[in-house]
Amino acid sequence: MRVVEVTAYGGPEVLRMARRPEPEAGDVPGRVRVRLRAAGVNQADLRIRAGRYPGHVGDLKPPFVLGTDFAGTLMDPAPGMPAGTRVAGFVPWFDELTGEGTYAEVLRAAPEWLAPIPDDVDYTVAASVPLASATAQQGLDRLALPEGSTLLVTGASGVVGRLAVQYAAAAGVRVVAVAHEGDESELKLLGAEHSIERGTPEDVVARVVAAVPERVDAVFDGAFHSAPALAAVKDGGAFIALAADRTPTAERNIRVETVRGRPDAARLKETLEKVAARELITRVADVMPLEEVAEAHRRAEAGHRPGRIILMI
Ligand SMILES: NC(=O)c1ccc[n+]([C@@H]2O[C@H](COP(=O)([O-])OP(=O)(O)OC[C@H]3O[C@@H](n4cnc5c(N)ncnc54)[C@H](OP(=O)(O)O)[C@@H]3O)[C@@H](O)[C@H]2O)c1
């Protein structure tokens, strides 16, 4: 099968098309094969490829295959889902550390990663959802904000941030979203009470204080602003970081936690049904063939292009 290998740590040029044997049915007990049709390019993929996560990859050494988010069709039956079912999910790549990611034609998946894709949702949209929605939901679970409380979402134009805005607003939380230029009104349509322009963390804090003088109850830090964004939080509030190395030290009794998205098939199924019903809006920035993976990484690294870049396989 065709895969993309990280051949050495470095820039996008280290990504190479390669051939590996296609997995056989049942060759890893408890795993089912998924013929992949779409894979998401996540920011973590770029950092792993660049060798910026040495502490998180254990003994894994290149060549290995990147990729967490996927959508495709089941090749083997899984509980409640016959072969041929369209499914999406994500590989908990850092927990697995097998170096078998989704930039490949076939993936061996654990059934508990998989949710069926509703008919109205295509593979590219489905592949943009799994890791981002789990991270947004589980981050908000940790915050456990009561209705009427205030939440700052940085990176709200990003894939995780947009979902966090929508989930929080649906739970009655008053959201201040830090938006890309031109996204302010859309984020309000998605439920943000205030939509403020992005900038340095200090600029963002000043804009938050102008909008919510008493400061917010919590931050969901999708833009990795980290410590400077704590100034936007009330004493005794809460802060969710999305990476260990972007987790600030707690101050003023602010509860600081790091979330790492974990697969939750039941919730993913509900999320995909909401996407099908247009009750949740996700965003795909580009759809590119697997062979153009190096260009996909360059675009993702350049940023300023909100939405998930999807590789079609
Ligand atoms: N903990 C977990 O399990 C987990 C899971 C998924 C993602 N993540 C991490 O969470 C972050 C968000 O993920 P994502 O998929 O939503 O990524 P994304 O789609 O690239 O969104 C990130 C957003 O933040 C903005 N941003 C980044 N740096 C900024 C800065 N200094 N000032 C203002 N805006 C800034 C980006 O804008 P530009 O593109 O213009 O820079 C982009 O809109 C990523 O870093 C990702 O690695 C963690």
Side-chain angles (χ1 to χ4, degrees), residues 192-217:
E193 184 170 310
H194 300 280
S195 192
I196 62 174
E197 200 187 322
R198 61 179 286 175
T200 65
E202 292 73 16
D203 293 338
V204 166
V205 170
R207 288 173 193 139
V208 172
V209 174
V212 186
E214 68 278 19
R215 297 174 198 255
V216 292
D217 294 303

Side-chain angles (χ1 to χ4, degrees), residues 42-44 47 131 135 155 157-161 180 198-199 222-225 242 259-261 303-305 308:
N42 278 281
Q43 292 290 332
R47 299 190 194 105
L131 175 63
T135 306
S157 291
V159 185
V160 178
H180 267 257
R198 61 179 286 175
F224 280 11
H225 283 334
L242 301 190
V259 71
R260 181 188 281 178
H304 305 293
R305 204 181 183 88
R308 187 68 73 231

Side-chain angles (χ1 to χ4, degrees), residues 18-100:
R19 287 210 161 261
R20 289 190 174 190
E22 189 165 306
E24 305 275 341
D27 60 1
V28 174
R31 296 281 157 118
V32 293
R33 295 168 304 159
V34 182
R35 186 160 296 283
L36 300 182
R37 300 293 305 276
V41 174
N42 278 281
Q43 292 290 332
D45 303 351
L46 315 181
R47 299 190 194 105
I48 297 166
R49 187 216 69 223
R52 285 176 51 200
Y53 275 159
H56 298 289
V57 297
D59 295 331
L60 191 64
K61 294 200 171 38
F64 56 76
V65 178
L66 282 176
T68 52
D69 281 315
F70 63 88
T73 52
L74 269 179
M75 297 169 72
D76 308 312
M81 292 187 287
T85 305
R86 299 164 76 242
V87 291
F90 74 91
V91 179
W93 202 92
F94 292 109
D95 296 331
E96 291 279 298
L97 285 183
T98 55
E100 289 183 33

Side-chain angles (χ1 to χ4, degrees), residues 82-281:
T85 305
R86 299 164 76 242
V87 291
F90 74 91
V91 179
W93 202 92
F94 292 109
D95 296 331
E96 291 279 298
L97 285 183
T98 55
E100 289 183 33
T102 61
Y103 295 7
E105 281 181 309
V106 178
L107 177 75
R108 284 184 279 227
E112 56 272 21
W113 302 344
L114 304 174
I117 306 174
D119 289 346
D120 290 348
V121 178
D122 69 29
Y123 290 116
T124 58
V125 169
S128 74
V129 169
L131 175 63
S133 65
T135 306
Q137 288 171 321
Q138 291 162 22
L140 293 170
D141 289 349
R142 296 276 194 92
L143 289 172
L145 292 170
E147 212 172 306
S149 50
T150 47
L151 174 70
L152 170 66
V153 178
T154 70
S157 291
V159 185
V160 178
R162 281 168 73 91
L163 289 168
V165 168
Q166 294 172 78
Y167 288 131
V173 170
R174 298 167 56 207
V175 176
V176 182
V178 184
H180 267 257
E181 201 180 315
D183 259 4
E184 291 87 351
S185 41
E186 191 181 342
L187 283 164
K188 282 194 170 173
L189 286 174
L190 295 180
E193 184 170 310
H194 300 280
S195 192
I196 62 174
E197 200 187 322
R198 61 179 286 175
T200 65
E202 292 73 16
D203 293 338
V204 166
V205 170
R207 288 173 193 139
V208 172
V209 174
V212 186
E214 68 278 19
R215 297 174 198 255
V216 292
D217 294 303
V219 171
F220 184 99
D221 192 21
F224 280 11
H225 283 334
S226 197
L230 278 175
V233 187
K234 287 177 190 164
D235 292 1
F239 188 104
I240 286 291
L242 301 190
D245 61 351
R246 302 302 297 158
T247 303
T249 307
E251 58 179 52
R252 297 182 290 115
N253 289 325
I254 295 169
R255 176 168 59 90
V256 175
E257 293 187 27
T258 314
V259 71
R260 181 188 281 178
R262 308 275 175 194
D264 182 335
R267 251 173 151 183
L268 177 58
K269 180 172 182 290
E270 281 173 21
T271 296
L272 290 169
E273 285 164 359
K274 287 193 170 140
V275 170
R278 311 286 184 268
E279 288 165 19
L280 259 185
I281 309 293

